Amino acid sequence: QKEVEQNSGPLSVPEGAIASLNCTYSDRVSQSFFWYRQYSGKSPELIMSIYSNGDKEDGRFTAQLNKASQYVSLLIRDSQPSDSATYLCAVKDSGYALNFGKGTSLLVTP
Amino acid sequence: DGGITQSPKYLFRKEGQNVTLSCEQNLNHDAMYWYRQDPGQGLRLIYYSQIVNDFQKGDIAEGYSVSREKKESFPLTVTSAQKNPTAFYLCASSNRGRETQYFGPGTRLLVL
């Protein structure tokens, strides 16, 4: 069973702070990693993808990957109330489908 | 305007009834996927298709069926054999050889 683990939260951060979301995965051969944002009642939308160890930045978002530790994280700088959502970590191995974590609920308070 | 469309937005199923969820994409993507999401749960893969006229079972295929007669379309049928169908159903697509999957708006299935 290929597992993707996330803390369900809720993670509460004040507006303007850095939100740190974490994800661990069990399958060592995993090659591709994705973060999706899902607002309540809506479908997931892609935020970031990362394929190699290190950091990848896109605007206020930074994805970090450490394959040796089987760990991927998402940092959101200058968090805004509009960032309040559930963040899904998804991991792809050599197959075709994505394995999803259950998501971390983020609440950004004004 | 490229994207993935799913219909209907809400669907009600009576006991013993088969229902079909529509998924259409105009992104020219080769691969299409169906996921199920239950409250507080991650997405679970039902079926996927990499090319026309070919599809593979995912982790929870029992009680579901699919077809892929056209590249643009990947309908999902929830059969009467699926005893707990109430969930949020999400269709996704991706380019063959690229892993990034994009999702449609979803269909919420409820049982009467």
Side-chain angles (χ1 to χ4, degrees):
Chain A
Q1 183 76 12
K2 299 170 184 175
E3 296 187 347
V4 178
E5 299 287 343
Q6 296 181 255
N7 188 324
S8 62
L11 172 66
S12 183
V13 300
E15 184 174 356
I18 296 175
S20 178
L21 304 164
N22 304 315
C23 173
T24 59
Y25 59 95
S26 63
D27 190 352
R28 287 190 170 274
V29 301
S30 297
Q31 300 175 344
S32 308
F33 307 85
F34 305 88
W35 283 99
Y36 288 85
R37 177 175 62 197
Q38 186 175 27
Y39 292 112
S40 180
K42 302 296 185 182
S43 64
E45 56 180 320
L46 181 71
I47 298 176
M48 295 277 289
S49 60
I50 186 166
Y51 303 96
S52 54
N53 280 330
D55 294 359
K56 179 181 178 182
E57 187 174 319
D58 184 1
R60 296 187 296 113
F61 299 97
T62 298
Q64 300 175 316
L65 175 61
N66 184 326
K67 290 186 178 181
S69 300
Q70 296 176 241
Y71 175 93
V72 58
S73 65
L74 179 70
L75 301 178
I76 307 175
R77 290 182 300 281
D78 188 23
S79 295
Q80 301 297 309
S82 58
D83 294 325
S84 298
T86 296
Y87 289 79
L88 302 174
C89 172
V91 176
K92 186 179 179 301
D93 56 22
S94 57
Y96 293 110
L98 294 177
N99 296 303
F100 283 84
K102 294 182 180 181
T104 297
S105 175
L106 173 66
L107 177 64
V108 181
T109 56
Chain B
D1 193 16
I4 305 171
T5 58
Q6 291 186 242
S7 62
K9 186 174 181 179
Y10 295 96
L11 185 57
F12 298 90
R13 193 191 90 162
K14 296 179 181 179
E15 191 149 345
Q17 186 181 39
N18 293 352
V19 293
T20 298
L21 286 61
S22 169
C23 178
E24 304 274 337
Q25 53 96 3
N26 60 5
L27 301 169
N28 200 33
H29 284 174
D30 296 293
M32 298 186 74
Y33 311 81
W34 274 105
Y35 292 91
R36 167 180 172 146
Q37 187 176 35
D38 294 280
Q41 301 296 313
L43 279 66
R44 292 184 290 168
L45 183 67
I46 304 173
Y47 270 97
Y48 64 97
S49 168
Q50 295 295 305
I51 56 173
V52 174
N53 292 323
D54 186 54
F55 48 83
Q56 305 296 328
K57 292 182 178 180
D59 299 322
I60 55 166
E62 185 174 350
Y64 300 97
S65 66
V66 294
S67 64
R68 186 86 187 276
E69 297 177 359
K70 299 187 299 182
K71 186 176 183 178
E72 303 79 17
S73 178
F74 191 40
L76 173 74
T77 296
V78 183
T79 75
S80 57
Q82 173 49 246
K83 297 306 179 187
N84 184 23
T86 298
F88 190 36
Y89 289 86
L90 291 157
C91 177
S93 69
S94 68
N95 262 332
R96 198 173 187 187
R98 297 178 182 238
E99 296 107 349
T100 305
Q101 294 183 20
Y102 299 93
F103 286 86
T107 292
R108 200 166 296 276
L109 177 60
L110 302 167
V111 176
L112 294 177

